[in-house]
Amino acid sequence: MALREIVTLPDPILRRKAKPVREFGPDLQQVIEDMIETMRQAPGVGLAAPQIGLSDRLIVVEYPIDDTQEDSPKKLYVVVNPELKKISEETEVATEGCLSIPGMMGDVERALAVTVAGRTRRGQPVKIKAEGWLARIFQHEIDHLDGVVYTDRASRVWRPAPGEDVIDNV
Ligand code: ZN
């Protein structure tokens, strides 16, 4: 396993539409292991392949199963070729940060619940229902695969003051 460098704006790869993954061999498995390690080390709760300089449709997400409990175990999601299927009409505004846009925060309106469909790391079909923050993370990561960053969608972007609440980066 190896840590990968997280690319930041204005790197053009973050503005490119990533290509679908077609091979589920050892090269992909290595990239996935590196992405998990890089996400954990950052630390972040999600990472998309373009954030490590690869224009592939691949995301990793790790988030507490019960985010109201401080010691909740986390669940790791690896989704290849993810797509948003069901998107709730109900939305919510919350504050996001991004590992590729260091030192900034922004308020973004997103769907409260989504269903993500895609493939597992071995190429099997998978469907995930997500609500709240987990749904937000998936929307943020899938945006990265389409060259969209949260500041494109934000109603307000700012540089946090020292001591301002640290938020999960994705
Ligand atoms: Zn991001």
Side-chain angles (χ1 to χ4, degrees):
M1 299 216 293
L3 282 177
R4 303 283 187 114
E5 194 180 334
I6 294 176
V7 302
T8 56
L9 282 183
D11 193 307
I13 200 153
L14 293 169
R15 291 310 199 173
R16 208 171 292 160
K17 197 171 163 68
K19 292 185 298 294
V21 173
R22 304 199 186 281
E23 301 277 341
F24 290 80
D27 289 353
L28 179 71
Q29 305 309 318
Q30 183 63 58
V31 168
I32 290 168
E33 289 305 322
D34 290 354
M35 283 178 65
I36 293 167
E37 191 181 351
T38 303
M39 168 180 68
R40 287 176 175 163
Q41 200 268 342
V45 292
L47 196 67
Q51 292 181 278
I52 60 160
L54 298 174
S55 203
D56 295 320
R57 301 190 78 80
L58 165 64
I59 62 172
V60 297
V61 170
E62 190 168 51
Y63 196 67
I65 293 166
D66 178 357
D67 64 8
T68 65
Q69 299 293 322
E70 213 165 289
D71 55 356
S72 166
K74 291 177 181 175
K75 184 166 168 137
L76 175 68
Y77 303 88
V78 175
V79 193
V80 182
N81 301 334
E83 283 177 64
L84 292 176
K85 287 297 186 189
K86 289 183 191 156
I87 302 170
S88 67
E89 278 181 29
E90 198 180 346
T91 62
E92 186 176 53
V93 176
T95 306
E96 297 185 15
C98 178
L99 295 167
S100 296
I101 312 175
M104 303 295 286
M105 298 165 94
D107 282 340
V108 186
E109 182 176 14
R110 297 208 190 257
L112 197 56
V114 296
T115 300
V116 178
R119 301 270 164 181
T120 68
R121 59 190 297 170
R122 305 289 171 196
Q124 303 300 316
V126 66
K127 213 176 251 187
I128 300 153
K129 284 185 182 170
E131 280 182 27
W133 258 100
L134 184 61
R136 177 171 296 274
I137 296 165
F138 278 115
Q139 291 170 80
H140 180 119
E141 298 312 336
I142 292 171
D143 269 353
H144 273 304
L145 305 182
D146 292 322
V148 174
V149 292
Y150 81 91
T151 51
D152 299 342
R153 300 190 185 275
S155 54
R156 188 167 81 93
V157 177
W158 69 97
R159 215 169 265 287
E164 191 171 347
D165 275 355
V166 175
I167 51 164
D168 296 328
N169 275 300
V170 279

